[in-house]
Amino acid sequence: VSTEKLSAGGRKPLIQVTLKPGVDVQPVWPFEAFCSKDAFQQLAADPKNPREQLAALITAPENERFAQVMVNRVWQRLMGRGLVETPDDWEKAPATHPQLLRWLGREFVRSGHSLKAVARLILTSHAYQRASLPEMLQTEALYVAPAPRRMAAEQIVDSLFAATGTPFKVEEMTFDVDGISNQSSLGKPSRAWMLASTSNERDRPSLSLPRVQAVITVLESFGWRGARQSPVTLRESDPNVLQPAILSNGTMATWTTRLSDDHGITQLALQDQTLDAFIDTLYLRLLTRRPTAAERKFATALLGPGFDHRRDNLPPLKPVKRVRPKYTAWSNHLDGPANALASELEAKARRGDPPTHRLNADWRERAEDFLWNTLNEPEWIFIR
């Protein structure tokens, strides 16, 4: 800033200028306790580039703090509690197992700073594979076994789709479907982590992505944040009244519980098998365990009537003439019919796919009731 501009009009400037315009400010490395400031001389690809210097100082093998911070975050994510309890503030608490933390950090460096290698070490360890203790409310510092933990938002959504075999059919993450305005695309998501906030429902409702938004609504109720520019170390994971409501009555719940033609449970129900085998497979698939005696009695009473005649030998549906779907994009979202089309697409997303005609309607509805009931069991969202 020019000193002449600061003192224009004869006023004394409130800002005391200590640097002349155009002077380069040399960066200072304040973490000598972790890594020598001269380490970048041998490691940086361009020792004169300040960014190269910073990257070299952060990842220098002698800078064990960086490696330990990274592996502590992985440990916290997988085990439910960090070796340093506050992953983003190491001044608040010491490491509970400093030797383990140091070893993991060195293995991280040895692997070429591979987070997958560190995750593999933890996931294949005896500690990670211990059974949880249901009576524990949270994982203790002196690790004996994990406490039951709630799944993250992405895990809950992906588990619902994977366990039920429901196709993950959402729109492409772009407002430039026709490719005219040359805007970027985030691709067509196949997993929950591939989604991002659309942030357009209020200002440009004609550009809404109703199927994407239905999944995002579930994610947000479990602490997911679409603003990746503002990440948080620990999400808000406390239960709230919105979570069971959205899992039982949301649009995505309709998709996962309605037995449509391409639903995974529909394909399972069409197979030749006994009722007991069908019930066992359902529980193993949905809850990763076999049913208790009470659960088997409940499932038998609900699914037993009509099970032998569950398949309808109806003639195949007549082929329907394919019609090119209408869509809104950045190039036409201000046109008159755009908002009406967006409302139509939203209503279609809420309805979901039609139920299959290959299963007896009465038995199919009872199977859907069983599926809805099981997916809303409290244990569904816990890692045990």
Side-chain angles (χ1 to χ4, degrees):
V1 179
S2 171
T3 54
E4 288 78 11
K5 288 185 178 182
L6 289 174
S7 57
R11 293 181 300 176
K12 184 178 180 181
L14 298 177
I15 302 173
Q16 299 300 317
V17 179
T18 58
L19 293 173
K20 294 182 179 180
V23 174
D24 290 335
V25 179
Q26 296 301 316
V28 176
W29 177 251
F31 305 112
E32 287 280 355
F34 306 125
C35 182
S36 169
K37 65 180 180 181
D38 299 323
F40 71 85
Q41 297 290 350
Q42 296 80 25
L43 299 171
D46 181 7
K48 295 183 179 180
N49 186 325
R51 291 188 178 184
E52 290 281 351
Q53 295 175 19
L54 179 60
L57 289 168
I58 290 176
T59 58
E62 65 180 282
N63 183 11
E64 295 194 79
R65 173 57 68 91
F66 166 72
Q68 291 174 13
V69 167
M70 294 302 297
V71 299
N72 185 63
R73 287 176 174 268
V74 178
W75 184 276
Q76 186 273 333
R77 180 69 186 84
L78 296 176
M79 306 295 278
R81 180 191 178 104
L83 297 171
V84 175
E85 186 177 4
T86 51
D88 52 355
D89 190 348
W90 283 42
E91 306 303 322
K92 288 184 178 180
T96 56
H97 300 72
Q99 293 85 358
L100 174 59
L101 182 62
R102 188 178 305 113
W103 179 76
L104 284 173
R106 291 177 178 177
E107 290 298 312
F108 177 54
V109 175
R110 193 196 313 275
S111 67
H113 297 91
S114 171
L115 291 174
K116 285 188 176 181
V118 174
R120 186 179 298 110
L121 277 174
I122 299 173
L123 293 172
T124 56
S125 68
H126 175 68
Y128 178 82
Q129 296 176 18
R130 293 176 184 173
S132 63
L133 296 178
E135 62 272 15
M136 293 178 62
L137 298 179
Q138 60 183 6
T139 303
E140 297 177 350
L142 297 178
Y143 189 84
V144 176
R149 290 190 293 122
R150 291 161 60 89
M151 289 192 288
E154 295 90 335
Q155 291 174 306
I156 292 173
V157 168
D158 285 343
S159 296
L160 284 167
F161 279 96
T164 60
T166 307
F168 196 86
K169 295 189 296 187
V170 296
E171 301 91 349
E172 181 182 354
M173 292 292 294
T174 181
F175 299 140
D176 187 25
V177 181
D178 50 13
I180 294 177
S181 57
N182 198 27
Q183 295 185 12
S184 61
S185 170
L186 296 180
K188 190 173 178 61
S190 57
R191 294 288 187 275
W193 66 265
M194 302 170 72
L195 296 173
S197 175
T198 55
S199 303
N200 66 306
E201 294 79 10
R202 181 179 299 175
D203 298 332
R204 302 179 187 273
S206 58
L207 287 175
S208 61
L209 303 175
R211 295 189 69 90
V212 167
Q213 190 57 47
V215 179
I216 285 179
T217 300
V218 178
L219 291 171
E220 289 178 334
S221 68
F222 286 93
W224 179 85
R225 293 171 49 136
R228 297 183 180 180
Q229 302 91 332
S230 305
V232 292
T233 297
L234 299 175
R235 288 179 180 174
E236 178 62 48
S237 60
D238 292 338
N240 57 64
V241 295
L242 182 60
Q243 293 168 355
I246 204 69
L247 281 182
S248 59
N249 297 310
T251 298
M252 202 187 84
T254 301
W255 304 345
T256 55
T257 55
R258 177 175 295 158
L259 299 188
S260 58
D261 281 336
D262 56 358
H263 197 285
I265 304 302
T266 300
Q267 308 306 317
L268 180 64
L270 291 172
Q271 297 176 10
D272 288 325
Q273 57 189 314
T274 64
L275 177 60
D276 281 343
F278 179 63
I279 293 172
D280 281 340
T281 304
L282 281 177
Y283 274 94
L284 287 171
R285 183 165 177 165
L286 300 176
L287 298 177
T288 66
R289 62 170 176 80
R290 296 187 182 278
T292 64
E295 289 171 337
R296 185 179 295 278
K297 182 179 179 181
F298 164 76
T300 301
L302 184 62
L303 301 176
F307 178 78
D308 293 335
H309 306 286
R310 65 191 181 280
R311 289 174 288 195
D312 274 343
N313 296 319
L314 298 176
L317 295 177
K318 295 180 180 180
V320 179
K321 183 180 179 180
R322 185 173 181 182
V323 180
R324 184 178 180 181
K326 297 179 181 180
Y327 61 88
T328 57
W330 192 263
S331 59
N332 67 354
H333 78 283
L334 295 178
D335 294 348
N339 285 338
L341 177 57
S343 298
E344 181 183 331
L345 294 175
E346 183 179 356
K348 183 179 179 181
R350 284 200 301 267
R351 289 194 301 269
D353 293 337
T356 181
H357 74 293
R358 294 183 290 172
L359 292 172
N360 175 272
D362 176 68
W363 187 89
R364 173 186 54 77
E365 290 177 359
R366 284 185 278 114
E368 290 173 346
D369 290 343
F370 171 85
L371 189 58
W372 182 91
N373 179 77
T374 307
L375 294 181
N376 284 278
E377 289 282 352
E379 68 178 280
W380 171 262
I381 62 173
F382 282 91
I383 300 173
R384 297 183 181 274

Short mmCIF file of all heavy atoms in Angstrom, two decimals, residues 65-96 101 232-235:
data_model
loop_
_atom_site.label_atom_id
_atom_site.label_comp_id
_atom_site.label_asym_id
_atom_site.label_seq_id
_atom_site.Cartn_x
_atom_site.Cartn_y
_atom_site.Cartn_z
N ARG A 65 5.89 -35.37 13.83
CA ARG A 65 4.58 -34.87 14.26
C ARG A 65 3.56 -34.95 13.13
O ARG A 65 2.42 -35.36 13.35
CB ARG A 65 4.72 -33.43 14.76
CG ARG A 65 3.39 -32.73 15.08
CD ARG A 65 2.55 -33.48 16.12
NE ARG A 65 3.16 -33.47 17.43
CZ ARG A 65 2.92 -32.54 18.35
NH1 ARG A 65 2.09 -31.55 18.09
NH2 ARG A 65 3.49 -32.62 19.52
N PHE A 66 3.94 -34.58 11.92
CA PHE A 66 2.99 -34.63 10.80
C PHE A 66 2.48 -36.05 10.58
O PHE A 66 1.28 -36.30 10.46
CB PHE A 66 3.63 -34.11 9.52
CG PHE A 66 2.85 -34.42 8.27
CD1 PHE A 66 1.67 -33.76 8.00
CD2 PHE A 66 3.29 -35.39 7.39
CE1 PHE A 66 0.94 -34.05 6.86
CE2 PHE A 66 2.57 -35.69 6.25
CZ PHE A 66 1.39 -35.02 5.98
N ALA A 67 3.39 -37.01 10.54
CA ALA A 67 3.00 -38.40 10.31
C ALA A 67 2.10 -38.90 11.44
O ALA A 67 1.11 -39.61 11.21
CB ALA A 67 4.24 -39.28 10.18
N GLN A 68 2.42 -38.52 12.68
CA GLN A 68 1.62 -38.97 13.81
C GLN A 68 0.23 -38.34 13.82
O GLN A 68 -0.76 -39.00 14.18
CB GLN A 68 2.35 -38.65 15.12
CG GLN A 68 3.62 -39.48 15.32
CD GLN A 68 4.40 -39.06 16.55
OE1 GLN A 68 3.91 -38.31 17.39
NE2 GLN A 68 5.64 -39.53 16.65
N VAL A 69 0.14 -37.08 13.41
CA VAL A 69 -1.17 -36.44 13.31
C VAL A 69 -2.05 -37.17 12.30
O VAL A 69 -3.24 -37.42 12.54
CB VAL A 69 -1.03 -34.95 12.92
CG1 VAL A 69 -2.37 -34.36 12.50
CG2 VAL A 69 -0.45 -34.15 14.07
N MET A 70 -1.48 -37.54 11.17
CA MET A 70 -2.25 -38.21 10.13
C MET A 70 -2.72 -39.60 10.58
O MET A 70 -3.89 -39.96 10.42
CB MET A 70 -1.42 -38.31 8.85
CG MET A 70 -1.11 -36.97 8.21
SD MET A 70 -2.58 -36.02 7.80
CE MET A 70 -3.36 -37.09 6.60
N VAL A 71 -1.81 -40.39 11.15
CA VAL A 71 -2.21 -41.75 11.55
C VAL A 71 -3.16 -41.70 12.73
O VAL A 71 -4.01 -42.60 12.89
CB VAL A 71 -0.98 -42.63 11.87
CG1 VAL A 71 -0.09 -42.77 10.64
CG2 VAL A 71 -0.19 -42.08 13.04
N ASN A 72 -3.07 -40.67 13.56
CA ASN A 72 -4.00 -40.55 14.68
C ASN A 72 -5.42 -40.30 14.18
O ASN A 72 -6.39 -40.80 14.76
CB ASN A 72 -3.57 -39.40 15.60
CG ASN A 72 -4.44 -39.30 16.84
OD1 ASN A 72 -4.49 -40.20 17.67
ND2 ASN A 72 -5.15 -38.18 16.97
N ARG A 73 -5.53 -39.54 13.10
CA ARG A 73 -6.86 -39.31 12.53
C ARG A 73 -7.43 -40.59 11.94
O ARG A 73 -8.63 -40.86 12.05
CB ARG A 73 -6.78 -38.21 11.46
CG ARG A 73 -6.60 -36.82 12.05
CD ARG A 73 -6.43 -35.76 10.98
NE ARG A 73 -6.39 -34.43 11.56
CZ ARG A 73 -7.45 -33.64 11.74
NH1 ARG A 73 -8.65 -34.07 11.36
NH2 ARG A 73 -7.33 -32.45 12.27
N VAL A 74 -6.60 -41.39 11.30
CA VAL A 74 -7.07 -42.67 10.77
C VAL A 74 -7.49 -43.58 11.91
O VAL A 74 -8.54 -44.24 11.85
CB VAL A 74 -5.97 -43.33 9.91
CG1 VAL A 74 -6.44 -44.69 9.40
CG2 VAL A 74 -5.59 -42.44 8.74
N TRP A 75 -6.68 -43.63 12.96
CA TRP A 75 -6.99 -44.46 14.13
C TRP A 75 -8.32 -44.03 14.75
O TRP A 75 -9.16 -44.85 15.09
CB TRP A 75 -5.88 -44.36 15.16
CG TRP A 75 -6.07 -45.25 16.36
CD1 TRP A 75 -6.79 -44.98 17.47
CD2 TRP A 75 -5.52 -46.57 16.55
NE1 TRP A 75 -6.74 -46.03 18.35
CE2 TRP A 75 -5.96 -47.02 17.82
CE3 TRP A 75 -4.70 -47.39 15.80
CZ2 TRP A 75 -5.62 -48.26 18.33
CZ3 TRP A 75 -4.35 -48.62 16.31
CH2 TRP A 75 -4.80 -49.06 17.56
N GLN A 76 -8.51 -42.73 14.91
CA GLN A 76 -9.74 -42.22 15.49
C GLN A 76 -10.95 -42.60 14.63
O GLN A 76 -11.99 -42.98 15.15
CB GLN A 76 -9.65 -40.69 15.64
CG GLN A 76 -10.80 -40.04 16.38
CD GLN A 76 -11.96 -39.70 15.48
OE1 GLN A 76 -11.77 -39.46 14.29
NE2 GLN A 76 -13.17 -39.70 16.04
N ARG A 77 -10.79 -42.53 13.32
CA ARG A 77 -11.90 -42.83 12.42
C ARG A 77 -12.28 -44.31 12.48
O ARG A 77 -13.46 -44.66 12.45
CB ARG A 77 -11.51 -42.44 10.99
CG ARG A 77 -12.59 -42.71 9.97
CD ARG A 77 -13.75 -41.76 10.19
NE ARG A 77 -14.86 -42.09 9.31
CZ ARG A 77 -15.77 -43.01 9.56
NH1 ARG A 77 -15.72 -43.71 10.68
NH2 ARG A 77 -16.74 -43.23 8.71
N LEU A 78 -11.29 -45.18 12.59
CA LEU A 78 -11.55 -46.61 12.54
C LEU A 78 -11.86 -47.21 13.91
O LEU A 78 -12.65 -48.15 14.03
CB LEU A 78 -10.36 -47.35 11.92
CG LEU A 78 -10.05 -47.02 10.46
CD1 LEU A 78 -8.79 -47.74 10.01
CD2 LEU A 78 -11.22 -47.37 9.56
N MET A 79 -11.25 -46.66 14.95
CA MET A 79 -11.37 -47.26 16.27
C MET A 79 -12.35 -46.53 17.20
O MET A 79 -12.65 -47.01 18.28
CB MET A 79 -10.00 -47.32 16.95
CG MET A 79 -8.92 -48.00 16.12
SD MET A 79 -9.25 -49.75 15.83
CE MET A 79 -8.66 -50.46 17.36
N GLY A 80 -12.80 -45.35 16.78
CA GLY A 80 -13.77 -44.64 17.60
C GLY A 80 -13.17 -43.66 18.59
O GLY A 80 -13.88 -42.83 19.16
N ARG A 81 -11.85 -43.72 18.78
CA ARG A 81 -11.17 -42.80 19.70
C ARG A 81 -9.72 -42.72 19.27
O ARG A 81 -9.08 -43.73 19.00
CB ARG A 81 -11.27 -43.31 21.14
CG ARG A 81 -10.58 -42.41 22.16
CD ARG A 81 -10.47 -43.10 23.51
NE ARG A 81 -9.78 -42.26 24.48
CZ ARG A 81 -10.38 -41.60 25.45
NH1 ARG A 81 -11.68 -41.72 25.61
NH2 ARG A 81 -9.69 -40.86 26.30
N GLY A 82 -9.18 -41.50 19.19
CA GLY A 82 -7.79 -41.33 18.78
C GLY A 82 -6.82 -41.70 19.87
O GLY A 82 -7.14 -41.65 21.07
N LEU A 83 -5.60 -42.06 19.48
CA LEU A 83 -4.54 -42.26 20.47
C LEU A 83 -4.26 -40.94 21.18
O LEU A 83 -3.88 -40.91 22.35
CB LEU A 83 -3.28 -42.80 19.79
CG LEU A 83 -3.45 -44.18 19.13
CD1 LEU A 83 -2.23 -44.52 18.30
CD2 LEU A 83 -3.69 -45.24 20.19
N VAL A 84 -4.42 -39.84 20.45
CA VAL A 84 -4.54 -38.52 21.06
C VAL A 84 -6.02 -38.15 20.94
O VAL A 84 -6.55 -38.06 19.83
CB VAL A 84 -3.66 -37.47 20.35
CG1 VAL A 84 -3.90 -36.08 20.92
CG2 VAL A 84 -2.19 -37.84 20.47
N GLU A 85 -6.68 -37.97 22.06
CA GLU A 85 -8.15 -37.91 22.06
C GLU A 85 -8.69 -36.75 21.25
O GLU A 85 -9.76 -36.86 20.64
CB GLU A 85 -8.67 -37.81 23.51
CG GLU A 85 -10.17 -37.89 23.60
CD GLU A 85 -10.66 -37.87 25.03
OE1 GLU A 85 -9.82 -37.72 25.94
OE2 GLU A 85 -11.88 -38.01 25.25
N THR A 86 -7.99 -35.62 21.23
CA THR A 86 -8.43 -34.47 20.45
C THR A 86 -7.57 -34.38 19.19
O THR A 86 -6.48 -33.82 19.22
CB THR A 86 -8.30 -33.18 21.27
OG1 THR A 86 -6.96 -33.11 21.83
CG2 THR A 86 -9.29 -33.19 22.43
N PRO A 87 -8.02 -34.92 18.07
CA PRO A 87 -7.17 -35.01 16.88
C PRO A 87 -6.69 -33.67 16.35
O PRO A 87 -5.63 -33.59 15.74
CB PRO A 87 -8.08 -35.71 15.84
CG PRO A 87 -9.14 -36.38 16.64
CD PRO A 87 -9.34 -35.53 17.85
N ASP A 88 -7.46 -32.60 16.58
CA ASP A 88 -7.08 -31.30 16.03
C ASP A 88 -6.44 -30.37 17.06
O ASP A 88 -6.19 -29.21 16.76
CB ASP A 88 -8.30 -30.62 15.41
CG ASP A 88 -9.47 -30.55 16.36
OD1 ASP A 88 -9.36 -31.11 17.47
OD2 ASP A 88 -10.49 -29.95 16.01
N ASP A 89 -6.17 -30.87 18.26
CA ASP A 89 -5.52 -30.04 19.28
C ASP A 89 -4.70 -30.94 20.20
O ASP A 89 -5.22 -31.50 21.17
CB ASP A 89 -6.56 -29.25 20.08
CG ASP A 89 -5.91 -28.20 20.99
OD1 ASP A 89 -4.68 -28.25 21.17
OD2 ASP A 89 -6.64 -27.33 21.50
N TRP A 90 -3.42 -31.07 19.90
CA TRP A 90 -2.56 -31.99 20.64
C TRP A 90 -2.07 -31.40 21.97
O TRP A 90 -1.36 -32.07 22.72
CB TRP A 90 -1.37 -32.39 19.78
CG TRP A 90 -1.74 -33.41 18.74
CD1 TRP A 90 -2.86 -33.43 17.98
CD2 TRP A 90 -1.00 -34.58 18.38
NE1 TRP A 90 -2.87 -34.51 17.15
CE2 TRP A 90 -1.73 -35.23 17.37
CE3 TRP A 90 0.21 -35.11 18.79
CZ2 TRP A 90 -1.30 -36.40 16.77
CZ3 TRP A 90 0.64 -36.28 18.19
CH2 TRP A 90 -0.10 -36.92 17.20
N GLU A 91 -2.44 -30.17 22.27
CA GLU A 91 -2.02 -29.57 23.54
C GLU A 91 -2.98 -29.94 24.67
O GLU A 91 -2.65 -29.75 25.84
CB GLU A 91 -1.97 -28.04 23.40
CG GLU A 91 -1.10 -27.55 22.25
CD GLU A 91 0.33 -28.06 22.35
OE1 GLU A 91 0.85 -28.14 23.47
OE2 GLU A 91 0.91 -28.37 21.29
N LYS A 92 -4.15 -30.46 24.32
CA LYS A 92 -5.16 -30.75 25.35
C LYS A 92 -4.94 -32.08 26.04
O LYS A 92 -5.32 -32.24 27.20
CB LYS A 92 -6.56 -30.72 24.72
CG LYS A 92 -7.04 -29.32 24.36
CD LYS A 92 -8.48 -29.38 23.85
CE LYS A 92 -8.99 -27.99 23.53
NZ LYS A 92 -10.39 -28.01 23.03
N ALA A 93 -4.40 -33.05 25.31
CA ALA A 93 -4.29 -34.40 25.89
C ALA A 93 -3.06 -35.10 25.33
O ALA A 93 -2.78 -35.00 24.14
CB ALA A 93 -5.55 -35.20 25.59
N PRO A 94 -2.33 -35.83 26.18
CA PRO A 94 -1.19 -36.60 25.68
C PRO A 94 -1.66 -37.89 25.01
O PRO A 94 -2.81 -38.31 25.16
CB PRO A 94 -0.40 -36.91 26.96
CG PRO A 94 -1.45 -36.96 28.04
CD PRO A 94 -2.49 -35.95 27.64
N ALA A 95 -0.76 -38.52 24.27
CA ALA A 95 -1.09 -39.79 23.63
C ALA A 95 -1.24 -40.88 24.68
O ALA A 95 -0.43 -40.97 25.62
CB ALA A 95 -0.02 -40.16 22.62
N THR A 96 -2.24 -41.72 24.54
CA THR A 96 -2.44 -42.81 25.49
C THR A 96 -1.44 -43.94 25.25
O THR A 96 -1.08 -44.66 26.18
CB THR A 96 -3.86 -43.37 25.37
OG1 THR A 96 -4.10 -43.77 24.01
CG2 THR A 96 -4.89 -42.31 25.74
N LEU A 101 1.79 -44.93 18.61
CA LEU A 101 1.62 -43.78 17.74
C LEU A 101 2.89 -43.51 16.94
O LEU A 101 2.84 -43.24 15.73
CB LEU A 101 1.24 -42.55 18.57
CG LEU A 101 0.97 -41.26 17.81
CD1 LEU A 101 -0.21 -41.43 16.88
CD2 LEU A 101 0.71 -40.11 18.80
N VAL A 232 -14.91 -30.56 9.02
CA VAL A 232 -14.83 -30.62 10.47
C VAL A 232 -14.12 -31.92 10.85
O VAL A 232 -14.23 -32.93 10.16
CB VAL A 232 -16.22 -30.57 11.13
CG1 VAL A 232 -16.86 -29.22 10.93
CG2 VAL A 232 -17.12 -31.66 10.58
N THR A 233 -13.38 -31.85 11.95
CA THR A 233 -12.66 -33.05 12.41
C THR A 233 -13.63 -34.10 12.94
O THR A 233 -13.55 -35.27 12.59
CB THR A 233 -11.65 -32.67 13.50
OG1 THR A 233 -10.68 -31.78 12.93
CG2 THR A 233 -10.93 -33.90 14.03
N LEU A 234 -14.54 -33.67 13.79
CA LEU A 234 -15.52 -34.58 14.38
C LEU A 234 -16.92 -34.07 14.06
O LEU A 234 -17.26 -32.93 14.39
CB LEU A 234 -15.33 -34.67 15.90
CG LEU A 234 -13.98 -35.20 16.38
CD1 LEU A 234 -13.89 -35.12 17.90
CD2 LEU A 234 -13.77 -36.63 15.91
N ARG A 235 -17.71 -34.89 13.42
CA ARG A 235 -19.07 -34.50 13.07
C ARG A 235 -19.98 -34.55 14.30
O ARG A 235 -19.69 -35.24 15.26
CB ARG A 235 -19.64 -35.43 12.01
CG ARG A 235 -19.05 -35.27 10.63
CD ARG A 235 -19.70 -36.26 9.71
NE ARG A 235 -19.19 -36.18 8.36
CZ ARG A 235 -19.52 -37.01 7.39
NH1 ARG A 235 -20.37 -38.00 7.65
NH2 ARG A 235 -19.02 -36.88 6.18
#
